[in-house]
Amino acid sequence: MFDLAAHPHRRLNPLTREWVLVSPHRTKRPWQGQVEKKARAQLPPYDAGCYLCPGNERAGGRWNPPYTGTFVFDNDFAALLPATPAGSFEKAGLLVADAEPGLCRVICFSPRHDLTVSRMELGQVRQVADVWAEQFAELAAKPFLNYVQIFENRGAMMGCSNPHPHCQIWASHSIPNEIVKETNSQLAYLTTHGSPLLDDYLNLELASGERLVLENEHFAVVVPFWAIWPFETIVLPKRHVTGIDLFTSGERAALASILKRITTRYDNLFETSFPYSMGFHQRPTDGAAHLEWCFHAHFYPPLLRSATVKKFMVGYEFLACPQRDITAEAAAARLRELSERHYLEEED
Ligand SMILES: [Zn+2]
Ligand SMILES: [Zn+2]
Ligand SMILES: [Zn+2]
């Protein structure tokens, strides 16, 4: 009898229509609860050498104002530039390139150098949620921008050298790969089923509870059935909303709250400031309504077994297909049992 908890199998990601190989027989051992007590990196609340702290100098002789809440600025090393001229290149259908105008911004979440979303005051995270919505609406209104990607890279393991709490916005003329895949899948699903893909998916997850990590009035966090990263999660709204600009004030507050709660659980998992890439996926801003699109957030955390042991995407994963040992159900169970009181506060 085929058993998802025992036999090697592959699972479909209906958003990308790609598969992940799951090898649960390799994790027969019970969870060992290994927690490496890391030296608490005591960051100062203000760092004179940080280009994101209030009042400091950035690259190119620009200075940050003495901000006290959130602070948004155009990235000094932007990967995309608004003044990029239109143009394309093509040879024999094999060498193909298009000019890519766009815009990159940075949002500082807090003047405090030493905080993270998990440890910020809820009211401050709420301010950040408001800024996300404002920025999305502002950039969505620019005709040359057709997709707005908001994302946070957290931790040196994710290539983020600056611990100051911040995220980035990269808004582009073209629609990026992942968004093209998710648009096509959601559109096909809506056309076939008459309801949005992720709304139906959330209903399945709420009914089963197997992969549900936590929820509040407006959002739920689940380890997706097709997760690739060991403790990957997806944050889903309970109402059909295509973009962050369309949430009510109450929903933005609930989004802030659930993000603080899941990042606290992540920190508590290995008692470390948990690294991740987090980002919102939402409707393209090309002027169409995109009713197929359900706003959601992906958390892609690399850690596997401890504060230092990460999952590597190498070998078979590079060349063939992603693979995991611990099932999504086991990962969700592990995340469910964690406290929402931050481990750094428990020891005070
Ligand atoms: Zn700083
Ligand atoms: Zn929806
Ligand atoms: Zn997505």
Side-chain angles (χ1 to χ4, degrees):
M1 274 275 282
F2 173 57
D3 179 359
L4 284 176
H7 300 126
H9 60 277
R10 60 179 198 153
R11 296 187 184 194
L12 175 69
N13 179 338
L15 281 172
T16 60
R17 300 181 198 176
E18 291 165 348
W19 298 84
V20 53
L21 176 64
V22 185
S23 314
H25 58 291
R26 301 212 301 184
T27 50
K28 279 291 183 227
R29 296 164 297 175
W31 174 258
Q32 293 179 347
Q34 175 186 2
V35 170
E36 292 176 19
K37 293 280 177 190
K38 299 292 290 174
R40 306 267 181 265
Q42 289 298 344
L43 290 170
Y46 167 78
D47 178 348
C50 169
Y51 63 91
L52 298 176
C53 274
N56 287 2
E57 186 176 9
R58 300 204 309 271
R62 292 187 173 82
W63 291 79
N64 295 330
Y67 67 95
T68 55
T70 56
F71 169 53
V72 185
F73 62 93
D74 286 337
N75 195 319
D76 303 308
F77 297 103
L80 296 158
L81 300 166
T84 304
S88 61
F89 175 88
E90 194 271 334
K91 235 172 207 170
L94 293 173
L95 311 181
V96 181
D98 291 320
E100 183 71 287
L103 188 154
C104 297
R105 286 181 177 166
V106 176
I107 304 174
C108 294
F109 294 166
S110 159
R112 284 277 300 271
H113 184 78
D114 57 333
L115 295 183
T116 54
V117 169
S118 56
R119 292 175 56 231
M120 282 162 55
E121 297 281 338
L122 181 56
Q124 183 63 35
V125 185
R126 164 59 198 269
Q127 265 191 46
V128 174
D130 290 346
V131 172
W132 285 329
E134 285 163 23
Q135 287 290 318
F136 181 84
E138 183 192 322
L139 298 177
K142 294 186 190 290
F144 79 103
L145 298 176
N146 294 317
Y147 188 72
V148 178
Q149 182 60 57
I150 300 173
F151 65 98
E152 179 189 6
N153 260 343
R154 172 95 224 139
M157 200 175 266
M158 299 308 293
C160 181
S161 51
N162 192 331
H164 196 112
H166 70 286
C167 75
Q168 302 190 52
I169 307 175
W170 291 22
S172 56
H173 178 71
S174 75
I175 299 177
N177 300 348
E178 293 302 302
I179 308 310
V180 169
K181 287 185 242 174
E182 294 195 6
T183 301
N184 291 341
S185 303
Q186 291 179 97
L187 191 54
Y189 187 96
L190 180 64
T191 307
T192 314
H193 296 82
S195 50
L197 188 158
L198 284 176
D199 292 7
D200 285 1
Y201 174 66
L202 177 61
N203 288 335
L204 278 178
E205 292 293 9
L206 290 176
S208 106
E210 254 190 310
R211 284 164 297 273
L212 181 67
V213 177
L214 61 119
E215 63 178 313
N216 63 23
E217 188 186 353
H218 298 297
F219 291 88
V221 179
V222 305
V223 178
F225 183 73
W226 53 85
I228 289 174
W229 295 95
F231 295 97
E232 178 178 335
T233 56
I234 186 168
V235 182
L236 295 163
K238 293 183 176 175
R239 183 169 71 88
H240 182 63
V241 172
T242 61
I244 198 167
D245 55 328
L246 300 176
F247 285 126
T248 63
S249 166
E251 285 168 332
R252 289 197 304 276
L255 177 63
S257 170
I258 210 147
L259 293 177
K260 181 173 161 65
R261 290 173 63 198
I262 182 61
T263 53
T264 298
R265 283 175 186 248
Y266 274 150
D267 284 1
N268 288 343
L269 180 61
F270 299 127
E271 300 205 347
T272 191
S273 188
F274 204 75
Y276 57 77
S277 277
M278 185 282 283
F280 302 125
H281 273 170
Q282 40 196 337
R283 71 175 189 279
T285 57
D286 54 5
H290 286 292
L291 292 177
E292 75 280 10
W293 256 95
C294 295
F295 168 93
H296 57 278
H298 293 284
F299 275 93
Y300 298 129
L303 291 181
L304 175 62
R305 256 196 310 276
S306 73
T308 50
V309 179
K310 65 168 281 196
K311 175 185 174 63
F312 287 95
M313 289 282 198
V314 294
Y316 190 78
E317 280 144 337
F318 258 148
L319 292 158
C321 162
Q323 184 271 344
R324 64 183 289 137
D325 292 344
I326 177 179
T327 62
E329 296 73 38
R334 179 78 187 109
L335 289 171
R336 261 199 308 272
E337 71 193 21
L338 293 166
S339 163
E340 288 186 6
R341 174 140 188 240
H342 199 277
Y343 74 96
L344 285 178
E345 282 159 23
E346 275 175 353
E347 293 186 358
D348 289 345

